Amino acid sequence: MINKPNAPWLKFFDGIPETLEYPQGSMYEALKFALDTHIHGNCYKNDAYTFQGKGTSYPEFFKRIDRVAKAFKSIGIEEGDKVTICMPNAPQAIDAFYALNRISAVPAMIHPLSAPGEINFYVTNSKSKAVLVLDMFYEKVLEALEGVDYPVKVIVARIKDELPFPLNMLYPLTVKDKPAPLPKDNENVISWNSFISAGRKIKSLPEKLPEKDDTAVILFSGGTTGTSKGIELTNMNMNALAYQVAASAGFSMKGLRMFSVMPLFHGFGLGVGIHTALAAGGTCILIPQFTIKTYARDVKKYKPAVIVGVPTLFEALLRSDGFDGVDLSFLRGVFCGGDSLSVELKKKVDTFLTEHNSKVQIREGYGTTECVTASCLTPYNFFREGSIGIPFPDTYYQIVDPKNDTEVPYGTEGEICIYGPSVMKGYLDNAAETAATLRTHKDGLKWLHTGDLGMMDEDGFIYYKQRMKRLIIVSGFNVYPSQVENTIDAHPDVLLSCAIGIPDPYKIHKVKAFVVLRPGVEPSDKIKEEILEHCRKNISKHAMPREIEFRTELPKTLVGKVAYRVLEEEEEAKAKAKEEAEKAKETKDAE
């Protein structure tokens, strides 16, 4: 059902407005507004971001934005032009992101670990005129650009240049694979420092700034299924998301320190980890690379007030041995998104937080890149088991019958559809996919069809079930992998699990579970039987795992989700090999 201004869920968001006022201009202006209006003189005390202990104040941040904007102008980047940013969470990437917005150009954000073929696709799909890349990856970019039929500038940045002394001197000694020197015979390849120097000849920047409905950034969908699509997000989309998150947090986010560990190419990392923090006059603690070994060290060192991450990041929290005796009372908010947070993992993380003197619990959000990231959130002081929360202010949900887009009653399962100010402009140069995803319903509103199954209860709480395409059909019955995973994860010796469907000659498919045990626990028939017995007690017969395989770790996508498609492909390959072996044996026996 659509949530209305008098919807019952409002009682769970006490003190949070039903509607908000949003910046009517660009992302750049939203940050200026925070600087000029919200934090006043505190801007001189507050860093916009810190990187490996080196802080950049807000005044200096805006100077850097202008310098980089002039540099882009110097290489011919004009209004509407696209620039691919292939960077980790580093200062040059943040500066470039807002500098492009300052001159009405559009950044296209991609993962620095993308393969050359993927980079070629991203650059050509977005028609990027330049690529900003870290030095250790630039050769891969040059390889990718060999298949592009127009000249593309490559700006090569170095981590070393942004480190404080003496780290800037020691850093090169820690890098195992030294980046190759920049080619001297390629005029399209330029170092970051030369790029900035070239911008000095530009005396002024355009007075005109982007409009609220102009494309502000391109993010790419995909990662585990289908062909990747460029998602056009507007200035309003990004600014609305920032204001909605801040309003729904349940505490003031002004001036707080955000642990910005989620990557920039991901809507969660960019929209919440960076833009929300900066639009609230806060500080982004830029973490260029996440590892279990450095996780505890960084949290203890920087004491962030807000941590955002995907479930695997919080699973790593439990695995890290660096939190013994650490007081986490400085935490104000812990937010999980990007993938479904199992009930059992939430319980384990909440217990961990309590044991470390934190007064907060982990809160789950839900959304898609097509609406930047989150569109609903668990209330600050109320958790309903299994729910992904309540819609943000000005964001509306409908649960519809996938066959005809008609709204279904409360408590009935259907496709989750979203309407609100963060919903995308559309897919880049793909009218057919845009029309299939943004559809006008009988109420005259254009709704985002998420492709996710879920339901809404009578209080307006949303329950995510599964991707529509990830159902396992066993003997005609629908099995939700998340239900199987939640049940297995409840075993005290289980850290993480993933359930997939594998071929079965009688049932068409059967359930197979891949299980990662807690550190120090060895796989055994006893644990396997305990897991199966727990499943027998909690899930239906057709959802029972018929096979359990223990793994030391599960494959992950670039954003840290469990890559269930990789596991499915492994099983498909095994089944094909087995079939071919059986055919070969039959042929040999016949001879």
Side-chain angles (χ1 to χ4, degrees), residues 16-26 29-30 33 38 212 235-248 275 279 375 391-396 419-422:
I16 294 177
E18 300 171 22
T19 188
L20 303 172
E21 291 186 12
Y22 304 103
Q24 296 300 300
S26 65
E29 288 173 289
F33 181 77
H38 288 323
K212 66 176 183 178
N235 288 282
M236 173 57 82
N237 293 158
M238 295 293 293
N239 289 337
L241 182 278
Y243 275 51
Q244 289 174 328
V245 171
S248 302
H275 192 58
S375 55
F392 283 156
D394 300 311
T395 293
Y396 300 89
Y419 172 82
S422 68

Side-chain angles (χ1 to χ4, degrees), residues 353-411:
L353 291 171
T354 300
E355 290 173 346
H356 289 78
N357 204 28
S358 173
K359 293 181 173 58
V360 302
Q361 294 186 345
I362 189 170
R363 296 164 63 192
E364 186 173 11
Y366 162 84
T368 69
T369 311
E370 283 82 354
C371 61
V372 189
T373 179
S375 55
C376 71
L377 181 66
T378 303
Y380 180 75
N381 55 0
F382 186 87
F383 168 66
R384 184 162 288 181
E385 188 166 300
S387 171
I388 52 176
I390 287 172
F392 283 156
D394 300 311
T395 293
Y396 300 89
Y397 270 59
Q398 270 191 353
I399 310 298
V400 304
D401 186 332
K403 297 175 184 176
N404 53 28
D405 293 354
T406 57
E407 198 172 0
V408 299
Y410 291 123

Side-chain angles (χ1 to χ4, degrees), residues 495-517:
L495 186 65
L496 186 67
S497 66
C498 180
I500 66 168
I502 61 174
D504 183 85
Y506 301 105
K507 303 175 183 294
I508 308 301
H509 289 96
K510 61 183 177 182
V511 177
K512 178 173 181 177
F514 296 84
V515 177
V516 178
L517 297 175

Side-chain angles (χ1 to χ4, degrees), residues 541-567:
K541 186 177 180 179
H542 54 263
M544 277 290 298
R546 301 302 165 182
E547 292 183 33
I548 290 180
E549 180 177 329
F550 292 111
R551 295 274 185 104
T552 56
E553 60 182 6
L554 297 180
K556 305 291 198 308
T557 66
L558 293 176
V559 297
K561 298 181 184 182
V562 174
Y564 68 88
R565 273 299 300 154
V566 172
L567 298 172

